Amino acid sequence: PIFSIMEDLRAKFEANKQGHLFTFYDKLSESEKSTLLEDLSSIDVAALPTMLANSLELEKAGGGDFQPLKSLGSVINTDKATVDAWYKKGLEAIGSGKVAVILMAGGQGTRLGSSNPKGMYDIGMPSHSSLFRMQAERLRRLQVIAAAAAGAPSVTIPWYIMTSPMTYHPTKAYFEAESFFGLSPAQVTFFNQGTLPAMSEDGAIFLETPSSVVRAPDGNGGIYKALEVEGVLADMAKRGISSIHTYCVDNALVKLGDPTFVGYCLEQGADCGSKVIPKAYPQEAVGCCCLKNGAVSVVEYSELPKEKTELRGDSGELLFSAANIANHYYSLSFLQRMATEFPAHVAFHIARKKIAHIDLQSEKGEKVTPTAPNGIKLEGFIFDVFPLAEKMAVLEAPRAAEFAPVKNAPGSPTDSPDTARAMLSAEYEAWIIQAGGMLTGEGLVEISPLLSYSGEGLEALVAGKTFTRPLHLKKEEEAA
Ligand code: UTP
């Protein structure tokens, strides 16, 4: 039967101009032959040409009618009572077990340059907590606050962690080795996003070895299909989840499950939401949330005309200022709809990369390592679903409390572990001052997430006291 499977596949691949993937087939061992056939069977080769054509068209198209958002909620410019009411509403939803959190951790983190998944990275705070640990502990604290507000003995927030085949095993092993950072293993679910083959500019898939193709994760937009395929949507429905918060692994300040944001989206009756931060300066290289051809969309900085980025309103505020930080809200029914609508309606973006591959002309299948971009990876972008939402809510929140990205290698002037460390320390310091404490001396300030999720509950501990930096404020049991 292997012969007929091979013949069928070969015919299909040849018909789609991918027959070269069989170049070394006759020289492979029996087990390598099955490996290749299995690898190729998982590729929808007939769909690739249309996918690639759509992506190239998307790349060429650019432009559009860009307008500022018409309605934007703001934590910055809204009175405290209203913001508190959003917080309360969100906390109630969490307390009644209806909110889940999804972490996107499938990226390869090439810029940071660590061989481990990015979430395992220690940005150098006094605790030496990894990004995963910070997030897990914030989740634990949020469960405590929500339970107290609900008068319940405990509350569980399911945490779904999206990995790619490149990050799945090390991520899972790390959580196990760290005893899930004190969370219940049953509340943590790992699931894989898909991959897509990498190809040359004209669409010929590359070989990684003579018996496998080069693959890359299908982008953070891969989340929509993966949630369905991996059974996450069904699991959420079973657990009674109706609201979902998603975020990126590499934001050291992320408030996962943020009650204020969840509450705001619930109040708006939104099926999809985005928490944005004001741009640092007009031409900051971030995606901007605005209206594109009438629909809420995220437009890449390269796509937005320079004169638009400079536009200001009556009080001098930038009109195109809503920086998207991949911090999103979804209703479960929206995600259920996107499982089919995203692949059907949304084109993948083209990333031109240096892609090492097997030289088809070489006798034994030697590897070529290019020095300049030689091919294409296709990536779905998570925010490309916004125009498909029935009611999109956008909430602006202060950058200093929300966003400390870890993208670049240590020592880089922006978005590095160093800049994230400084921002985290500054935010913790602000919490102490706000709670009536004072600081002296030099160095970093850290507050354990188990003590405070977003600055709450610190008065009894710090009011009227002066602390010396470096400072690591933690719960008594953590000190042991
Ligand atoms: P980035 O686009 O910044 O990519 O991901 P990256 O992989 O972390 O880093 P570089 O570009 O290789 O240096 C933003 C977020 O989306 C997730 C990442 O894990 C990160 O949380 N992501 C990205 C995925 O989950 N899957 C992907 O395929 C790509």
Side-chain angles (χ1 to χ4, degrees):
I2 184 164
F3 185 74
S4 70
I5 295 174
M6 190 281 274
E7 285 300 299
D8 288 352
L9 259 185
R10 192 171 195 150
K12 196 158 102 185
F13 274 70
E14 275 168 1
N16 287 286
K17 300 209 182 95
Q18 306 286 2
H20 61 279
L21 297 173
F22 288 84
T23 304
F24 301 98
Y25 187 81
D26 294 334
K27 294 184 194 158
L28 299 178
S29 70
E30 286 312 305
S31 82
E32 287 167 334
K33 282 181 179 164
S34 336
T35 307
L36 179 66
L37 296 183
E38 204 177 305
D39 197 14
L40 298 184
S41 328
S42 68
I43 299 171
D44 188 354
V45 68
L48 270 185
T50 316
M51 235 174 121
L52 182 59
N54 289 345
S55 301
L56 286 165
E57 199 176 309
L58 173 77
E59 188 182 48
K60 255 203 336 251
D65 173 39
F66 303 115
Q67 298 295 332
L69 291 169
K70 281 212 180 67
S71 97
L72 173 71
S74 175
V75 172
I76 308 168
N77 300 322
T78 306
D79 61 280
K80 186 170 176 309
T82 307
V83 176
D84 286 351
W86 296 336
Y87 176 85
K88 191 160 169 267
K89 195 173 183 76
L91 205 58
E92 273 165 17
I94 295 170
S96 57
K98 291 189 182 140
V99 180
V101 173
I102 307 177
L103 157 61
M104 286 177 291
Q108 292 175 296
T110 37
R111 285 169 289 171
L112 183 61
S114 158
S115 54
N116 284 327
K118 225 191 233 183
M120 291 171 65
Y121 199 82
D122 162 17
I123 63 166
M125 293 302 284
S127 63
H128 288 289
S129 285
S130 62
L131 294 167
F132 281 142
R133 174 174 287 281
M134 291 180 194
Q135 293 163 24
E137 292 184 347
R138 282 180 203 146
L139 200 65
R140 282 176 60 192
R141 171 71 188 165
L142 184 57
Q143 293 182 154
V144 170
I145 311 174
S154 66
V155 160
T156 301
I157 306 172
W159 193 18
Y160 298 91
I161 300 179
M162 182 172 86
T163 55
S164 60
M166 295 80 188
T167 61
Y168 179 81
H169 288 291
T171 301
K172 201 160 168 253
Y174 177 63
F175 270 70
E176 282 160 2
E178 297 288 332
S179 309
F180 290 79
F181 313 101
L183 290 163
S184 146
Q187 78 185 97
V188 183
T189 306
F190 301 92
F191 69 102
N192 256 334
Q193 68 177 102
T195 58
L196 283 169
M199 52 200 124
S200 66
E201 193 69 35
D202 50 12
I205 298 174
F206 287 126
L207 280 176
E208 170 86 36
T209 69
S211 60
S212 63
V213 306
V214 180
R215 284 175 182 272
D218 55 2
N220 53 21
I223 188 172
Y224 299 108
K225 191 168 155 211
L227 286 172
E228 164 75 9
V229 174
E230 298 279 304
V232 174
L233 296 179
D235 187 68
M236 287 176 171
K238 205 171 77 198
R239 292 188 199 227
I241 298 299
S242 51
S243 292
I244 296 108
H245 179 230
T246 61
Y247 70 98
C248 292
V249 71
D250 50 13
N251 176 6
L253 271 169
V254 71
K255 291 187 199 161
L256 58 168
D258 180 11
T260 309
F261 179 46
V262 169
Y264 175 75
C265 291
L266 285 171
E267 198 195 77
Q268 293 283 306
D271 53 351
C272 185
S274 175
K275 184 159 64 171
V276 299
I277 55 170
K279 272 191 199 170
Y281 47 94
Q283 269 147 55
E284 192 186 7
V286 289
C288 178
C289 209
C290 62
L291 297 177
K292 179 176 178 180
N293 303 329
V296 177
S297 309
V298 174
V299 175
E300 302 230 58
Y301 63 98
S302 51
E303 213 185 326
L304 198 62
K306 184 168 176 288
E307 62 277 10
K308 292 260 178 194
T309 63
E310 309 272 3
L311 284 180
R312 289 181 187 270
D314 296 340
S315 15
E317 77 287 5
L318 282 178
L319 291 180
F320 289 89
S321 175
N324 187 270
I325 52 172
N327 203 308
H328 300 161
Y329 168 91
Y330 303 101
S331 68
L332 180 61
S333 52
F334 181 77
L335 288 178
Q336 286 162 336
R337 184 152 75 78
M338 285 314 112
T340 46
E341 287 194 17
F342 183 81
H345 297 297
V346 181
F348 284 66
H349 296 249
I350 290 185
R352 297 204 155 71
K353 305 253 170 153
K354 291 180 240 173
I355 303 168
H357 62 280
I358 298 291
D359 176 5
L360 298 177
Q361 314 304 328
S362 65
E363 180 73 15
K364 293 206 177 90
E366 269 115 54
K367 200 107 182 221
V368 208
T369 310
T371 49
N374 62 322
I376 284 175
K377 290 182 177 176
L378 294 176
E379 295 180 343
F381 285 2
I382 186 166
F383 49 69
D384 278 348
V385 297
F386 290 179
L388 302 176
E390 274 162 23
K391 168 79 186 163
M392 183 73 205
V394 185
L395 180 68
E396 174 192 57
R399 175 182 285 255
E402 294 285 347
F403 192 53
V406 182
K407 298 279 183 196
N408 302 321
S412 310
T414 55
D415 300 353
S416 70
D418 317 275
T419 55
R421 196 166 57 237
M423 291 184 72
L424 226 62
S425 180
E427 175 65 4
Y428 289 137
E429 196 163 315
W431 293 2
I432 292 190
I433 310 286
Q434 199 190 354
M438 277 157 291
L439 287 147
T440 161
E442 297 292 314
L444 294 169
V445 175
E446 183 175 16
I447 299 176
S448 164
L450 296 177
L451 266 183
S452 185
Y453 171 83
S454 58
E456 80 294 337
L458 293 172
E459 289 78 3
L461 221 66
V462 310
K465 293 191 193 152
T466 300
F467 296 91
T468 308
R469 302 186 195 88
L471 172 69
H472 181 199
L473 207 59
K474 52 192 164 192
K475 280 184 108 162
E476 264 163 41
E477 61 260 35
E478 288 182 82

